[in-house]
Amino acid sequence: MNSLSIEALYRSESRRVLATLIRLLGDFDLAEEALHEAFSVALERWPQDGLPDNPRAWLISTGRFKAIDRLRRQARFTPLSQAQADALEAAEWSVEDVEDDRLRLIFTCCHPALAPDAQAALTLREICDLTTEEIARAFLSTPTTIAQRIVRAKAKIREANIPYQVPSLAELPERLDSVLRVVYLVFNEGYSASIGANLTRDELSGEAIRLGRLLLALLPEPEVMGLLALMLLHESRRAARTSASGELVLLDEQDRTLWDASLITEGCALVQRALSSRGFGPYCLQAAIAAVHAEAPHAAQTDWPQIVGLYDVLLGLLPSPVIALNRAVAVAMRDGPLAGLQQVDGILARGALQDYHLAHATRGEFCRQLGRLKEARSAYEKALSLTQQAPEKAFLEQRLAQLVSASMP
């Protein structure tokens, strides 16, 4: 067992271990310290002793004992630490209890006592292990602001004694909206990473789908079905979204034989179940749009009028400039690039999405198709200045190079 193997295990298991340590220790910061101490011990022992039969249980147990030791050392200065350490040592726990700890943790992070922006920041930090810098980029904020939100959220959980548990069935519906929103944020960061050399982060999208399945088992409501369907249908395209060399491949150019048919089948079935309930909302409608794409054998056979119609309904339920931008793309596919450009210019004129790279990239694409090369170049350059993701940067640089070539006599 070498350090690289332990690093891989950290990536796959650390959030599970942390969730359980938070439950056992009742303190975010103490649990995070215990997690890192447990992995430090693993780096020392496992190369010599070999991998334990149950690494996750070993890490949880080691972290728990390290936390107890830390509290006992602090007892000289804080008498309450001794009582806390004694209580932790006396408490019973079992490895069988740990599987749903991440679900408990996400409901804690999304408690209504916390502000929505704090819910999202705390979830992305604690459940997904994103750095404050990565979260800041995802929210177009600063690392200092994000760090302050996380610190305040942890303090609120501690001071208000917010329980570490899944709500009762009676409380669950009113608590669900914030959880679904955060799960989708996690998925989006995995499906299209906000920064880095890779377009996707498989571990995040996989974790979001796992959480979605847990939520569906707990509460089979239409919007839970819709969110899970939406994630599955997007995830089905993963293998086709980049070339063998890691370059971005647009939806209409993807090799659809690479799409995962089993995920499409599961996602479309969930869409049908959700829509038949007539109690659906925005996630179901977005999943229905994704299903129309998934059911088209070729890009040219996509039912764009139906997609525009679904976006019209979606905008009525959830007015959003990003949804309006996506609708503009659908309008362009139905009515031509000029119609799409008019829609995008209207969004930008209203002051929305000025700092959103995809808005400017979309405008650049419509201008390119219309032969308005100077405008296209300006829009692509603006998009390039706003993106932090290597594959998207490379794609935009390629588009700009094509424009230069097209402009040469």
Side-chain angles (χ1 to χ4, degrees), residues 130-146 194:
L130 268 65
T131 65
T132 53
E133 289 78 12
E134 289 172 323
I135 300 169
R137 290 189 184 97
F139 285 98
L140 303 177
S141 186
T142 66
T144 300
T145 299
I146 295 298
S194 57

Side-chain angles (χ1 to χ4, degrees), residues 34-276:
L35 171 73
H36 293 298
E37 288 193 73
F39 271 96
S40 294
V41 175
L43 278 169
E44 293 175 5
R45 295 187 185 174
W46 290 1
Q48 298 176 2
D49 300 344
L51 185 69
D53 292 337
N54 189 331
R56 189 190 306 173
W58 188 98
L59 289 162
I60 293 167
S61 179
T62 301
R64 176 175 172 270
F65 281 120
K66 287 292 182 182
I68 292 171
D69 288 343
R70 178 181 290 272
L71 289 169
R72 293 205 190 284
R73 290 194 301 272
Q74 293 174 350
R76 290 175 296 173
F77 312 104
T78 310
L80 285 176
S81 295
Q82 182 64 51
Q84 188 179 359
D86 292 342
L88 287 174
E89 192 165 38
E92 295 184 0
W93 73 281
S94 168
V95 71
E96 282 75 25
D97 297 333
V98 308
E99 185 55 37
D100 290 343
D101 276 335
R102 283 177 295 175
L103 191 58
R104 296 185 185 97
L105 179 56
I106 198 170
F107 271 101
T108 302
C109 292
C110 298
H111 195 277
L114 306 178
D117 55 1
Q119 293 173 4
L122 188 62
T123 301
L124 290 171
R125 178 72 195 97
E126 301 303 327
I127 293 178
C128 304
D129 199 25
L130 268 65
T131 65
T132 53
E133 289 78 12
E134 289 172 323
I135 300 169
R137 290 189 184 97
F139 285 98
L140 303 177
S141 186
T142 66
T144 300
T145 299
I146 295 298
Q148 289 172 346
R149 287 178 190 170
I150 292 170
V151 168
R152 285 196 296 266
K154 289 179 179 178
K156 181 71 173 180
I157 290 169
R158 182 172 57 252
E159 293 162 5
N161 199 26
I162 290 174
Y164 184 81
Q165 63 187 29
V166 175
S168 68
L169 286 176
E171 299 173 307
L172 202 51
E174 66 183 24
R175 295 275 303 277
L176 193 60
D177 284 349
S178 60
V179 172
L180 294 179
R181 180 177 64 87
V182 171
V183 170
Y184 194 37
L185 279 171
V186 172
F187 177 81
N188 280 335
E189 182 61 27
Y191 183 73
S192 183
S194 57
I195 188 172
N198 298 317
L199 180 67
T200 62
R201 295 183 61 179
D202 300 14
E203 74 280 6
L204 293 187
S205 54
E207 173 66 5
I209 288 172
R210 195 197 79 87
L211 288 170
R213 293 189 192 282
L214 281 174
L215 284 169
L216 183 61
L218 186 68
L219 190 68
E221 293 288 330
E223 278 293 82
V224 181
M225 295 177 201
L227 176 58
L228 180 56
L230 178 60
M231 294 189 295
L232 292 172
L233 290 166
H234 282 320
E235 185 71 8
S236 71
R237 306 176 199 155
R238 177 182 294 278
R241 294 182 64 225
T242 55
S243 66
S245 57
E247 296 174 335
L248 178 66
V249 180
L250 297 179
L251 177 62
D252 60 350
E253 298 172 0
Q254 290 175 12
D255 179 356
R256 299 190 177 208
T257 64
L258 297 176
W259 289 5
D260 189 319
S262 64
L263 293 181
I264 291 173
T265 299
E266 183 182 1
C268 288
L270 283 168
V271 170
Q272 290 297 326
R273 283 177 59 194
L275 293 179
S276 65

Side-chain angles (χ1 to χ4, degrees), residues 345-395:
D345 282 347
I347 295 168
L348 293 171
R350 291 191 291 272
L353 305 185
Q354 290 290 344
D355 295 325
Y356 187 48
H357 69 282
L358 291 180
H360 298 283
T362 302
R363 188 178 196 282
E365 181 61 20
F366 293 156
C367 288
R368 185 186 71 84
Q369 293 175 18
L370 291 165
R372 293 158 61 167
L373 302 188
K374 185 176 180 180
E375 289 181 70
R377 181 172 181 173
S378 177
Y380 279 133
E381 287 173 345
K382 178 67 173 178
L384 185 60
S385 72
L386 292 170
T387 186
Q388 299 290 325
Q389 188 191 84
E392 288 185 341
K393 279 181 175 291
F395 174 82

